[in-house]
Amino acid sequence: MMSIRHLQQNLSRYVSKTTMYKNDVIRFLATRSKFHGMWEPNDLKLQPDIPEYKALHIVMRGYDFPVLESYAKYLHKAVESIFKLESDAWATPAKSTEVRTFHQNSSTVNEKYSLIKYDRTVMVENIPTTTVPILLQFIRRHCPQGVEVSLKEPSAEEEEARYVPDYQVKELQTTKDAIASGKLRKK
């Protein structure tokens, strides 16, 4: 019979031989080069290319001026502070509509109402496409009652509607064109 001491000695010899064998294999198969981890491909990009919208307009419309104005201000601040995006905000001239109610079964006017619809626009610049769904959900969750909100890319008609026409300048321009064509004489 073998003693425990004899078993421990045989076991320690066996373990030392296998570890030496393993170390030799590791040394020959997995030697590190001095340039390990220093080479990177030239076309490697650390951040992925995320497409961006050049500009998006958040257009808000409503009949209640104080509610619309405070929501536009809140949204403008939130886009800049929460989402860390560049933004600009402006008011579009209000549009007035006359609404009439009639007496029952007649064409005579019962009441006349003048409704004024106000527009506010917040333009967000250089917005990543991954941020748009989050921003849209934020807008929908915080939208007060009576305010219509739409998110769209800018168009030429919206840019034209943004400015109030100066009728004096238009009149002077038509006079200038008439003088240039020879229909009118200078004073």
Side-chain angles (χ1 to χ4, degrees):
M1 279 193 110
M2 291 186 163
S3 68
I4 295 180
R5 179 172 271 175
H6 185 56
L7 281 173
Q8 286 177 342
Q9 289 174 353
N10 286 338
L11 185 61
S12 65
R13 283 187 207 149
Y14 175 73
V15 169
S16 66
K17 285 181 184 178
T18 56
T19 55
M20 186 180 359
Y21 176 71
K22 283 183 181 177
N23 288 339
D24 291 341
V25 170
I26 290 172
R27 188 178 328 140
F28 292 123
L29 295 178
T31 57
R32 291 182 157 217
S33 124
K34 62 181 179 179
F35 299 111
H36 182 70
M38 294 179 71
W39 180 82
E40 290 183 358
N42 294 335
D43 60 343
L44 180 68
K45 295 180 182 173
L46 298 178
Q47 294 182 352
D49 286 336
I50 298 174
E52 291 183 344
Y53 286 104
K54 191 169 184 178
L56 283 178
H57 285 184
I58 305 168
V59 181
M60 296 156 280
R61 292 185 175 98
Y63 294 103
D64 195 3
F65 179 76
V67 171
L68 181 70
E69 188 67 23
S70 65
Y71 181 60
K73 189 184 296 185
Y74 170 74
L75 198 58
H76 178 62
K77 286 182 181 179
V79 164
E80 287 185 344
S81 63
I82 295 173
F83 294 97
K84 306 289 187 216
L85 297 169
E86 298 174 26
S87 66
D88 188 20
W90 64 83
T92 307
K95 296 175 184 168
S96 181
T97 307
E98 187 175 289
V99 179
R100 299 177 193 159
T101 59
F102 297 97
H103 288 288
Q104 190 173 7
N105 298 328
S106 73
S107 61
T108 58
V109 177
N110 184 18
E111 295 285 333
K112 287 185 182 179
Y113 301 102
S114 179
L115 297 176
I116 301 172
K117 195 166 199 175
Y118 302 98
D119 290 2
R120 296 294 178 265
T121 304
V122 175
M123 180 180 65
V124 184
E125 296 177 336
N126 302 326
I127 180 168
T129 55
T130 55
T131 308
V132 173
I134 300 166
L135 177 65
L136 190 58
Q137 188 176 16
F138 179 83
I139 291 168
R140 291 172 82 196
R141 291 252 170 120
H142 294 91
C143 183
Q145 287 184 345
V147 177
E148 301 170 13
V149 180
S150 62
L151 180 73
K152 55 186 165 184
E153 293 186 78
S155 66
E157 296 98 27
E158 288 177 358
E159 188 67 27
E160 188 66 31
R162 178 179 172 184
Y163 300 104
V164 178
D166 191 355
Y167 295 110
Q168 291 177 344
V169 172
K170 284 187 174 185
E171 184 181 330
L172 288 172
Q173 185 66 33
T174 56
T175 307
K176 179 182 164 190
D177 292 340
I179 290 172
S181 67
K183 295 181 181 177
L184 210 71
R185 291 186 184 196
K186 287 186 184 179
K187 293 181 181 177

